[in-house]
Amino acid sequence: MNSSQLMAVDLVLAVLAAGAWIAAAWLTSSRKVRRHGVDAALLALGVAVLATAGRCALLPALAASSWWFANERITISLPLTAIPAVGAAMAGVPYLLRKRNTGSQSARVPAGRGRQWAVLSLVAAGAAAVGSLGLAFILGPFPAVWSLVILLFLVGGTVLTAKLALFPPVRGGSVTPGRRTTAVTAVAGLLACTALGSGVFAWLGSRAADGTGIATAVGHHDGGATVPVAAPVPVTTLLGSSPAHAVVRHYELTARVEQVTLPSGQSVQAWTFGSLPGPKLEAQQGEVMEVVLNNRDVTAGVTLHWHGYDVPNAMDGVAGATQDAVMPGQSMTYRFTAAQVGTYWYHTHQDSAEGVRKGLYGVFVVHGTTDVRPDADIAVAGHDLSGLGLLGSSDRSSAYTATPGSTVRVRLVNTDSLPQRYLVSGTAFKVAAVDGTSVNQPGEVTGKLLRIGAGGRNDVTFTMPAAPVTVHSDAAADAVVVISPPDWTSGTPAKPAAGVYASTPVLDLLGYGKPGSGQQSVPVVTREEVVVLDRQFRFVDGIPRYAFTVNGAAYPLVPAMEVAEGDVLKVTIVNRTAEPHPMHPHGHHVLVLSRNGVAPTGSPLLLDTVDIQPGEVWQVQLTADNPGIWMDHCHNLDHAAEGMMMLLQYQGVSSPFVHGGHAHNKPE
């Protein structure tokens, strides 16, 4: 059971404990207690105690995975519930057993101190458990000062409210008529105040997000002190340089809204760059890419971001950080040197959760100057278009030919927001590159799936056999890529057998290939950072959401990760949620150091999109060698749109662009 599953069990136990404490308090507070009512109260109290004990028992396993899975539970949540639970058990059990042992089937409960303390302790335990449960969706791993104030209010207010609401004045040994209340009164009132206070705080904190600068110049942090910078450099000046007399590859893309009919005959409205996917852009290493982006009629606006390509910051194409969105009738030219070799892709970074899903994406390939070109070079973008699974441009069969004995390279690109599993059938293959970086001495693979997180790429190579090779994806059930020898006349291959994706093992890239040979220089880590991914109630652009958060905050309120050029960062990434998060730092690749404390045993893994599974803890190394203000976000773009974004901001760099504002910049 991984850490995410342990946290889910803890949540179930918290719900069970809260309900049981309230039930025990309700039954015990009744002025007329029957024998079966006493038995029910004892049962509820026992369930509450066991559930609370179960939560405590889970702590060692959570803490063993990472402190970040148990932090707020150890420091706040469980102390808040365990201490009142002990008091409730000590006061409630003796009282209820005494009532049970009277043997009466119906007895008026005296308004004595025993009953008062029993009910009061049960109400306190119930309110604390319910409050702890509610705050679990607010606190996260980085409790703020205001959250501690709310907790103090909750604990103190519970005792006071329960005392006033549950125990009206006693006159002559009897309760004053007409003053009957229950334990739920105290609990409901306190929770309402807690929710209101938390909501007001979160709302006030989110009001200033729209229309303000997305980033300003920062000094370098050293020992907690910030060294100011005198002359900030705007991102618009970070244009890079191009070799003299370099060949210029000129492309022009026009974003448009159009009705697209797929090979299956289904028609769907899409936003495209003229085709689905957009035109394949290619260059030779050392050439200059010059791409003109026009927006014909996409009213949300568009940009061009070069996913995985470490372009100069001004060319990164993020609305509100490095440029304003290109609105209908406008255009922008992107220009940079094609220095990296490999498989990449491009897409809009303005309202990208909507724009990419609807079709504003394409493949970008740079060939090495000394590489031996394969005989067949096929790029396949896997995508979900309004529920229609595509491989390349087709939701059915895509046919290619290759001569037996020739070399074939299939570039698998996940342009979707969810992970995809690919099944290559008909031959053994090698994974020659991951995220554009070559794998050292890749071995032949058979009988395994390739799992590619959102935004990631795998380059598959093989020698063409005498029979067809097929590529299927679990994200595109009706689509298939078929690579056949010339003049092959058989029909379309059958779909994969039912359950094949569940039963076939996945290739673990952390153990694939061979480690680099010889002594390699390892840079000294100068900074360490922690990035905790979670789900909490937050306000995103002024709207209350069960948001996806980074270090307890939702973008644009997530503090930037501030660096100086030359810094070497060791970053720990913790996924506390039940969903995968493919984290994508713009402008940089990261070297994987470990996953769940285990270092890679295969080829060094250099990634631009790190797919963090639920309950996992990854450590990666990032070298700050590309100055600018860079997005670092989950490439499940819906998660990013709901807050899971942050900035990697270099010392002395500023941006004139704003989140929202007159240009309606909306990076996700």
Side-chain angles (χ1 to χ4, degrees), residues 229-297:
V229 292
V233 177
V235 296
T236 52
T237 65
L238 299 175
L239 298 168
S241 59
S242 300
H245 311 298
V247 174
V248 177
R249 291 278 187 138
H250 182 84
Y251 293 94
E252 190 161 336
L253 300 175
T254 300
R256 68 198 73 184
V257 178
E258 60 179 322
Q259 201 74 18
V260 175
T261 301
L262 299 172
S264 64
Q266 297 198 62
S267 182
V268 62
Q269 188 183 72
W271 300 354
T272 78
F273 289 120
S275 61
L276 279 176
K280 180 181 178 182
L281 306 184
E282 294 186 86
Q284 187 92 354
Q285 186 179 19
E287 295 178 343
V288 172
M289 289 289 294
E290 186 177 82
V291 184
V292 178
L293 170 65
N294 303 304
N295 184 356
R296 189 177 73 182
D297 55 3

Side-chain angles (χ1 to χ4, degrees), residues 270-354:
W271 300 354
T272 78
F273 289 120
S275 61
L276 279 176
K280 180 181 178 182
L281 306 184
E282 294 186 86
Q284 187 92 354
Q285 186 179 19
E287 295 178 343
V288 172
M289 289 289 294
E290 186 177 82
V291 184
V292 178
L293 170 65
N294 303 304
N295 184 356
R296 189 177 73 182
D297 55 3
V298 178
T299 57
V302 295
T303 67
L304 281 180
H305 166 64
W306 310 92
H307 186 107
Y309 220 75
D310 300 342
V311 298
N313 193 222
M315 298 292 102
D316 195 41
V318 178
T322 62
Q323 67 171 90
D324 282 332
V326 178
M327 304 308 287
Q330 297 179 345
S331 65
M332 179 171 174
T333 299
Y334 298 83
R335 185 182 174 92
F336 57 90
T337 302
Q340 297 166 230
V341 173
T343 305
Y344 305 91
W345 62 295
Y346 62 90
H347 62 82
T348 184
H349 225 297
Q350 160 69 3
D351 195 11
S352 58
E354 186 78 0

Side-chain angles (χ1 to χ4, degrees), residues 123-504:
V123 170
V130 175
S132 170
L133 180 63
L135 289 171
F137 298 98
I138 300 173
L139 289 180
F142 296 93
V145 174
W146 63 266
S147 63
L148 298 178
V149 172
I150 290 174
L151 286 172
L152 291 174
F153 163 77
L154 179 66
V155 175
T158 297
V159 177
L160 178 61
T161 308
K163 178 67 176 174
L164 295 177
L166 293 171
F167 306 115
V170 177
R171 297 177 182 175
S174 61
V175 177
T176 304
R179 295 292 306 277
R180 189 177 192 290
T181 57
T182 69
V184 177
T185 307
V187 176
L190 285 167
L191 290 180
C193 293
T194 302
L196 179 62
S198 303
V200 169
F201 183 92
W203 177 72
L204 290 173
S206 69
R207 290 185 64 196
D210 186 70
T212 59
I214 198 168
T216 56
V218 296
H220 185 50
H221 282 243
D222 184 14
T226 301
V227 181
V229 292
V233 177
V235 296
T236 52
T237 65
L238 299 175
L239 298 168
S241 59
S242 300
H245 311 298
V247 174
V248 177
R249 291 278 187 138
H250 182 84
Y251 293 94
E252 190 161 336
L253 300 175
T254 300
R256 68 198 73 184
V257 178
E258 60 179 322
Q259 201 74 18
V260 175
T261 301
L262 299 172
S264 64
Q266 297 198 62
S267 182
V268 62
Q269 188 183 72
W271 300 354
T272 78
F273 289 120
S275 61
L276 279 176
K280 180 181 178 182
L281 306 184
E282 294 186 86
Q284 187 92 354
Q285 186 179 19
E287 295 178 343
V288 172
M289 289 289 294
E290 186 177 82
V291 184
V292 178
L293 170 65
N294 303 304
N295 184 356
R296 189 177 73 182
D297 55 3
V298 178
T299 57
V302 295
T303 67
L304 281 180
H305 166 64
W306 310 92
H307 186 107
Y309 220 75
D310 300 342
V311 298
N313 193 222
M315 298 292 102
D316 195 41
V318 178
T322 62
Q323 67 171 90
D324 282 332
V326 178
M327 304 308 287
Q330 297 179 345
S331 65
M332 179 171 174
T333 299
Y334 298 83
R335 185 182 174 92
F336 57 90
T337 302
Q340 297 166 230
V341 173
T343 305
Y344 305 91
W345 62 295
Y346 62 90
H347 62 82
T348 184
H349 225 297
Q350 160 69 3
D351 195 11
S352 58
E354 186 78 0
V356 177
R357 178 169 49 242
K358 287 192 171 183
L360 291 173
Y361 68 94
V363 176
F364 172 41
V365 176
V366 178
H367 303 279
T369 54
T370 60
D371 291 347
V372 177
R373 294 283 188 97
D375 299 299
D377 195 332
I378 303 164
V380 178
H383 197 76
D384 183 282
L385 183 71
S386 300
L388 303 173
L390 303 180
L391 287 180
S393 60
S394 178
D395 60 344
R396 291 295 183 263
S397 178
S398 301
Y400 300 88
T401 60
T403 304
S406 64
T407 58
V408 179
R409 190 179 194 102
V410 181
R411 304 173 186 269
L412 300 174
V413 185
N414 183 357
T415 60
D416 203 17
S417 280
L418 297 175
Q420 298 173 347
R421 290 177 293 179
Y422 286 89
L423 177 66
V424 180
S425 303
T427 187
F429 61 89
K430 296 179 179 180
V431 179
V434 178
D435 282 5
T437 302
S438 296
V439 174
N440 184 46
Q441 300 181 47
E444 285 200 338
V445 179
T446 56
K448 290 188 177 180
L449 299 172
L450 297 179
R451 186 186 189 280
I452 305 178
R457 289 89 61 213
N458 283 183
D459 285 20
V460 170
T461 61
F462 55 86
T463 300
M464 185 65 197
V469 175
T470 60
V471 180
H472 290 87
S473 168
D474 65 340
D478 296 322
V480 58
V481 173
V482 183
I483 307 158
S484 304
D487 303 323
W488 186 267
T489 57
S490 297
T492 301
K495 293 182 180 180
V500 67
Y501 293 107
S503 61
T504 306

Side-chain angles (χ1 to χ4, degrees), residues 22-33 36-38 40-42 44 96:
I22 292 175
W26 175 284
L27 292 166
T28 307
S29 65
S30 175
R31 286 175 296 167
K32 195 170 186 180
V33 183
H36 61 77
V38 174
L42 280 168
L96 290 170

